[in-house]
mmCIF file of all heavy atoms in Angstrom:
data_model
loop_
_atom_site.group_PDB
_atom_site.id
_atom_site.type_symbol
_atom_site.label_atom_id
_atom_site.label_comp_id
_atom_site.label_asym_id
_atom_site.label_seq_id
_atom_site.Cartn_x
_atom_site.Cartn_y
_atom_site.Cartn_z
ATOM 1 N N TYR Q 3 0.820 -1.207 0.000
ATOM 2 C CA TYR Q 3 0.000 0.000 0.000
ATOM 3 C C TYR Q 3 0.862 1.268 0.000
ATOM 4 O O TYR Q 3 0.440 2.318 -0.485
ATOM 5 C CB TYR Q 3 -0.916 0.017 1.227
ATOM 6 C CG TYR Q 3 -1.957 -1.075 1.233
ATOM 7 C CD1 TYR Q 3 -1.687 -2.320 1.806
ATOM 8 C CD2 TYR Q 3 -3.209 -0.882 0.661
ATOM 9 C CE1 TYR Q 3 -2.636 -3.333 1.811
ATOM 10 C CE2 TYR Q 3 -4.173 -1.889 0.665
ATOM 11 C CZ TYR Q 3 -3.871 -3.117 1.242
ATOM 12 O OH TYR Q 3 -4.813 -4.113 1.240
ATOM 13 N N LEU Q 4 2.058 1.175 0.561
ATOM 14 C CA LEU Q 4 2.941 2.336 0.653
ATOM 15 C C LEU Q 4 3.758 2.566 -0.619
ATOM 16 O O LEU Q 4 4.111 3.708 -0.934
ATOM 17 C CB LEU Q 4 3.897 2.167 1.842
ATOM 18 C CG LEU Q 4 3.258 2.123 3.228
ATOM 19 C CD1 LEU Q 4 4.323 1.822 4.286
ATOM 20 C CD2 LEU Q 4 2.559 3.442 3.537
ATOM 21 N N TYR Q 5 4.040 1.497 -1.338
ATOM 22 C CA TYR Q 5 4.914 1.573 -2.514
ATOM 23 C C TYR Q 5 4.482 2.652 -3.508
ATOM 24 O O TYR Q 5 5.317 3.470 -3.937
ATOM 25 C CB TYR Q 5 4.973 0.204 -3.194
ATOM 26 C CG TYR Q 5 5.884 0.132 -4.399
ATOM 27 C CD1 TYR Q 5 7.152 -0.431 -4.294
ATOM 28 C CD2 TYR Q 5 5.487 0.610 -5.639
ATOM 29 C CE1 TYR Q 5 7.986 -0.506 -5.401
ATOM 30 C CE2 TYR Q 5 6.310 0.545 -6.738
ATOM 31 C CZ TYR Q 5 7.562 -0.015 -6.621
ATOM 32 O OH TYR Q 5 8.386 -0.073 -7.718
ATOM 33 N N PRO Q 6 3.210 2.707 -3.942
ATOM 34 C CA PRO Q 6 2.819 3.716 -4.937
ATOM 35 C C PRO Q 6 3.031 5.145 -4.457
ATOM 36 O O PRO Q 6 3.422 6.015 -5.236
ATOM 37 C CB PRO Q 6 1.326 3.435 -5.162
ATOM 38 C CG PRO Q 6 1.106 2.049 -4.688
ATOM 39 C CD PRO Q 6 2.064 1.855 -3.564
ATOM 40 N N PHE Q 7 2.778 5.383 -3.165
ATOM 41 C CA PHE Q 7 2.980 6.721 -2.617
ATOM 42 C C PHE Q 7 4.467 7.082 -2.623
ATOM 43 O O PHE Q 7 4.838 8.225 -2.929
ATOM 44 C CB PHE Q 7 2.418 6.799 -1.194
ATOM 45 C CG PHE Q 7 0.927 6.689 -1.120
ATOM 46 C CD1 PHE Q 7 0.325 5.458 -0.904
ATOM 47 C CD2 PHE Q 7 0.121 7.805 -1.272
ATOM 48 C CE1 PHE Q 7 -1.054 5.342 -0.834
ATOM 49 C CE2 PHE Q 7 -1.259 7.699 -1.209
ATOM 50 C CZ PHE Q 7 -1.853 6.473 -0.993
ATOM 51 N N GLY Q 8 5.311 6.112 -2.285
ATOM 52 C CA GLY Q 8 6.747 6.354 -2.286
ATOM 53 C C GLY Q 8 7.267 6.643 -3.679
ATOM 54 O O GLY Q 8 8.083 7.557 -3.876
ATOM 55 N N GLU Q 9 6.804 5.888 -4.664
ATOM 56 C CA GLU Q 9 7.248 6.094 -6.046
ATOM 57 C C GLU Q 9 6.816 7.462 -6.560
ATOM 58 O O GLU Q 9 7.614 8.188 -7.161
ATOM 59 C CB GLU Q 9 6.692 4.989 -6.941
ATOM 60 C CG GLU Q 9 7.151 5.092 -8.390
ATOM 61 C CD GLU Q 9 6.686 3.929 -9.231
ATOM 62 O OE1 GLU Q 9 5.616 3.353 -8.925
ATOM 63 O OE2 GLU Q 9 7.385 3.582 -10.202
ATOM 64 N N ALA Q 10 5.552 7.817 -6.323
ATOM 65 C CA ALA Q 10 5.046 9.107 -6.793
ATOM 66 C C ALA Q 10 5.748 10.267 -6.088
ATOM 67 O O ALA Q 10 6.103 11.271 -6.720
ATOM 68 C CB ALA Q 10 3.540 9.189 -6.585
ATOM 69 N N LEU Q 11 5.944 10.142 -4.768
ATOM 70 C CA LEU Q 11 6.608 11.191 -4.012
ATOM 71 C C LEU Q 11 8.030 11.413 -4.509
ATOM 72 O O LEU Q 11 8.455 12.553 -4.739
ATOM 73 C CB LEU Q 11 6.635 10.832 -2.527
ATOM 74 C CG LEU Q 11 7.463 11.770 -1.621
ATOM 75 C CD1 LEU Q 11 6.857 13.169 -1.611
ATOM 76 C CD2 LEU Q 11 7.562 11.199 -0.208
ATOM 77 N N ALA Q 12 8.783 10.326 -4.694
ATOM 78 C CA ALA Q 12 10.161 10.439 -5.177
ATOM 79 C C ALA Q 12 10.195 11.083 -6.555
ATOM 80 O O ALA Q 12 11.059 11.923 -6.847
ATOM 81 C CB ALA Q 12 10.817 9.061 -5.213
ATOM 82 N N GLY Q 13 9.239 10.710 -7.411
ATOM 83 C CA GLY Q 13 9.186 11.290 -8.753
ATOM 84 C C GLY Q 13 8.926 12.781 -8.724
ATOM 85 O O GLY Q 13 9.586 13.559 -9.434
ATOM 86 N N VAL Q 14 7.961 13.221 -7.902
ATOM 87 C CA VAL Q 14 7.640 14.647 -7.806
ATOM 88 C C VAL Q 14 8.840 15.441 -7.295
ATOM 89 O O VAL Q 14 9.178 16.506 -7.837
ATOM 90 C CB VAL Q 14 6.425 14.854 -6.873
ATOM 91 C CG1 VAL Q 14 6.246 16.335 -6.550
ATOM 92 C CG2 VAL Q 14 5.163 14.299 -7.519
ATOM 93 N N LEU Q 15 9.499 14.953 -6.261
ATOM 94 C CA LEU Q 15 10.649 15.667 -5.696
ATOM 95 C C LEU Q 15 11.806 15.718 -6.686
ATOM 96 O O LEU Q 15 12.524 16.726 -6.763
ATOM 97 C CB LEU Q 15 11.099 14.991 -4.397
ATOM 98 C CG LEU Q 15 10.100 15.067 -3.232
ATOM 99 C CD1 LEU Q 15 10.654 14.323 -2.018
ATOM 100 C CD2 LEU Q 15 9.788 16.510 -2.874
ATOM 101 N N MET Q 16 11.979 14.649 -7.476
ATOM 102 C CA MET Q 16 13.064 14.639 -8.465
ATOM 103 C C MET Q 16 12.767 15.574 -9.629
ATOM 104 O O MET Q 16 13.688 16.155 -10.211
ATOM 105 C CB MET Q 16 13.301 13.217 -8.952
ATOM 106 C CG MET Q 16 13.978 12.332 -7.921
ATOM 107 S SD MET Q 16 14.187 10.636 -8.473
ATOM 108 C CE MET Q 16 15.137 9.951 -7.111
ATOM 109 N N ILE Q 17 11.502 15.730 -9.990
ATOM 110 C CA ILE Q 17 11.153 16.710 -11.018
ATOM 111 C C ILE Q 17 11.533 18.110 -10.539
ATOM 112 O O ILE Q 17 12.093 18.921 -11.285
ATOM 113 C CB ILE Q 17 9.643 16.651 -11.340
ATOM 114 C CG1 ILE Q 17 9.293 15.361 -12.077
ATOM 115 C CG2 ILE Q 17 9.227 17.859 -12.193
ATOM 116 C CD1 ILE Q 17 7.814 15.143 -12.301
ATOM 117 N N ALA Q 18 11.225 18.391 -9.276
ATOM 118 C CA ALA Q 18 11.523 19.709 -8.712
ATOM 119 C C ALA Q 18 12.995 19.871 -8.356
ATOM 120 O O ALA Q 18 13.472 20.998 -8.188
ATOM 121 C CB ALA Q 18 10.669 19.936 -7.463
ATOM 122 N N GLY Q 19 13.714 18.761 -8.214
ATOM 123 C CA GLY Q 19 15.098 18.841 -7.757
ATOM 124 C C GLY Q 19 15.171 19.286 -6.314
ATOM 125 O O GLY Q 19 16.143 19.908 -5.885
ATOM 126 N N ALA Q 20 14.124 18.947 -5.538
ATOM 127 C CA ALA Q 20 14.032 19.406 -4.143
ATOM 128 C C ALA Q 20 13.972 18.222 -3.191
ATOM 129 O O ALA Q 20 13.478 17.148 -3.549
ATOM 130 C CB ALA Q 20 12.784 20.276 -3.970
ATOM 131 N N LEU Q 21 14.467 18.436 -1.986
ATOM 132 C CA LEU Q 21 14.437 17.422 -0.930
ATOM 133 C C LEU Q 21 14.965 16.075 -1.436
ATOM 134 O O LEU Q 21 14.401 15.017 -1.161
ATOM 135 C CB LEU Q 21 13.008 17.260 -0.390
ATOM 136 C CG LEU Q 21 12.365 18.499 0.230
ATOM 137 C CD1 LEU Q 21 10.930 18.190 0.659
ATOM 138 C CD2 LEU Q 21 13.183 18.989 1.410
ATOM 139 N N ILE Q 22 16.069 16.130 -2.162
ATOM 140 C CA ILE Q 22 16.649 14.910 -2.710
ATOM 141 C C ILE Q 22 17.111 13.979 -1.598
ATOM 142 O O ILE Q 22 17.166 12.758 -1.780
ATOM 143 C CB ILE Q 22 17.824 15.261 -3.654
ATOM 144 C CG1 ILE Q 22 17.299 16.082 -4.845
ATOM 145 C CG2 ILE Q 22 18.513 14.007 -4.168
ATOM 146 C CD1 ILE Q 22 16.205 15.386 -5.635
ATOM 147 N N TRP Q 23 17.404 14.540 -0.432
ATOM 148 C CA TRP Q 23 17.801 13.694 0.708
ATOM 149 C C TRP Q 23 16.652 12.801 1.167
ATOM 150 O O TRP Q 23 16.860 11.822 1.879
ATOM 151 C CB TRP Q 23 18.316 14.557 1.859
ATOM 152 C CG TRP Q 23 17.334 15.573 2.370
ATOM 153 C CD1 TRP Q 23 17.136 16.833 1.898
ATOM 154 C CD2 TRP Q 23 16.423 15.404 3.464
ATOM 155 N NE1 TRP Q 23 16.145 17.478 2.613
ATOM 156 C CE2 TRP Q 23 15.681 16.617 3.588
ATOM 157 C CE3 TRP Q 23 16.145 14.368 4.349
ATOM 158 C CZ2 TRP Q 23 14.710 16.801 4.540
ATOM 159 C CZ3 TRP Q 23 15.172 14.557 5.320
ATOM 160 C CH2 TRP Q 23 14.460 15.753 5.408
ATOM 161 N N ILE Q 24 15.422 13.134 0.755
ATOM 162 C CA ILE Q 24 14.274 12.255 0.993
ATOM 163 C C ILE Q 24 14.011 11.380 -0.229
ATOM 164 O O ILE Q 24 13.843 10.164 -0.121
ATOM 165 C CB ILE Q 24 13.005 13.076 1.314
ATOM 166 C CG1 ILE Q 24 13.163 13.812 2.644
ATOM 167 C CG2 ILE Q 24 11.770 12.165 1.355
ATOM 168 C CD1 ILE Q 24 11.972 14.704 2.986
ATOM 169 N N ALA Q 25 13.983 12.001 -1.407
ATOM 170 C CA ALA Q 25 13.636 11.288 -2.636
ATOM 171 C C ALA Q 25 14.616 10.172 -2.967
ATOM 172 O O ALA Q 25 14.205 9.064 -3.339
ATOM 173 C CB ALA Q 25 13.560 12.275 -3.803
ATOM 174 N N ALA Q 26 15.912 10.438 -2.820
ATOM 175 C CA ALA Q 26 16.918 9.451 -3.226
ATOM 176 C C ALA Q 26 16.854 8.170 -2.389
ATOM 177 O O ALA Q 26 16.826 7.068 -2.953
ATOM 178 C CB ALA Q 26 18.314 10.078 -3.159
ATOM 179 N N PRO Q 27 16.827 8.262 -1.061
ATOM 180 C CA PRO Q 27 16.730 7.024 -0.279
ATOM 181 C C PRO Q 27 15.451 6.240 -0.542
ATOM 182 O O PRO Q 27 15.473 5.003 -0.596
ATOM 183 C CB PRO Q 27 16.781 7.515 1.177
ATOM 184 C CG PRO Q 27 17.456 8.832 1.113
ATOM 185 C CD PRO Q 27 17.016 9.434 -0.190
ATOM 186 N N VAL Q 28 14.321 6.948 -0.712
ATOM 187 C CA VAL Q 28 13.054 6.257 -0.994
ATOM 188 C C VAL Q 28 13.144 5.510 -2.317
ATOM 189 O O VAL Q 28 12.795 4.326 -2.409
ATOM 190 C CB VAL Q 28 11.882 7.259 -1.021
ATOM 191 C CG1 VAL Q 28 10.615 6.593 -1.550
ATOM 192 C CG2 VAL Q 28 11.627 7.826 0.372
ATOM 193 N N ALA Q 29 13.622 6.198 -3.356
ATOM 194 C CA ALA Q 29 13.719 5.576 -4.674
ATOM 195 C C ALA Q 29 14.721 4.424 -4.670
ATOM 196 O O ALA Q 29 14.485 3.375 -5.299
ATOM 197 C CB ALA Q 29 14.126 6.620 -5.713
ATOM 198 N N LEU Q 30 15.840 4.603 -3.971
ATOM 199 C CA LEU Q 30 16.855 3.551 -3.929
ATOM 200 C C LEU Q 30 16.324 2.314 -3.210
ATOM 201 O O LEU Q 30 16.541 1.179 -3.651
ATOM 202 C CB LEU Q 30 18.113 4.063 -3.222
ATOM 203 C CG LEU Q 30 19.285 3.083 -3.179
ATOM 204 C CD1 LEU Q 30 19.764 2.744 -4.591
ATOM 205 C CD2 LEU Q 30 20.435 3.675 -2.369
ATOM 206 N N PHE Q 31 15.593 2.535 -2.131
ATOM 207 C CA PHE Q 31 15.073 1.409 -1.357
ATOM 208 C C PHE Q 31 14.044 0.623 -2.155
ATOM 209 O O PHE Q 31 14.179 -0.594 -2.328
ATOM 210 C CB PHE Q 31 14.457 1.909 -0.041
ATOM 211 C CG PHE Q 31 13.888 0.801 0.803
ATOM 212 C CD1 PHE Q 31 14.715 0.027 1.595
ATOM 213 C CD2 PHE Q 31 12.522 0.535 0.794
ATOM 214 C CE1 PHE Q 31 14.194 -1.006 2.373
ATOM 215 C CE2 PHE Q 31 11.991 -0.491 1.563
ATOM 216 C CZ PHE Q 31 12.826 -1.262 2.355
ATOM 217 N N ILE Q 32 13.000 1.308 -2.638
ATOM 218 C CA ILE Q 32 11.937 0.572 -3.333
ATOM 219 C C ILE Q 32 12.430 0.027 -4.671
ATOM 220 O O ILE Q 32 11.995 -1.037 -5.122
ATOM 221 C CB ILE Q 32 10.678 1.443 -3.525
ATOM 222 C CG1 ILE Q 32 10.953 2.651 -4.423
ATOM 223 C CG2 ILE Q 32 10.125 1.881 -2.194
ATOM 224 C CD1 ILE Q 32 9.720 3.511 -4.675
ATOM 225 N N GLY Q 33 13.370 0.738 -5.305
ATOM 226 C CA GLY Q 33 13.916 0.248 -6.569
ATOM 227 C C GLY Q 33 14.747 -1.008 -6.387
ATOM 228 O O GLY Q 33 14.657 -1.957 -7.164
ATOM 229 N N THR Q 34 15.571 -1.026 -5.335
ATOM 230 C CA THR Q 34 16.425 -2.184 -5.086
ATOM 231 C C THR Q 34 15.603 -3.404 -4.701
ATOM 232 O O THR Q 34 15.821 -4.503 -5.227
ATOM 233 C CB THR Q 34 17.438 -1.865 -3.970
ATOM 234 O OG1 THR Q 34 18.231 -0.733 -4.340
ATOM 235 C CG2 THR Q 34 18.367 -3.054 -3.733
#
């Protein structure tokens, strides 16, 4: 249930180039 929210959140932050310290760990975790 959490996975889609994490993917969308990481994508939005990466588009903005903001809060990468949040986006990068989330994307790395769920991606791995």
Side-chain angles (χ1 to χ4, degrees):
Y3 294 90
L4 296 175
Y5 182 101
F7 292 94
E9 182 175 29
L11 173 64
V14 169
L15 294 178
M16 287 177 175
I17 290 174
L21 300 177
I22 297 303
W23 58 273
I24 294 177
V28 170
L30 183 62
F31 179 81
I32 64 178
T34 302

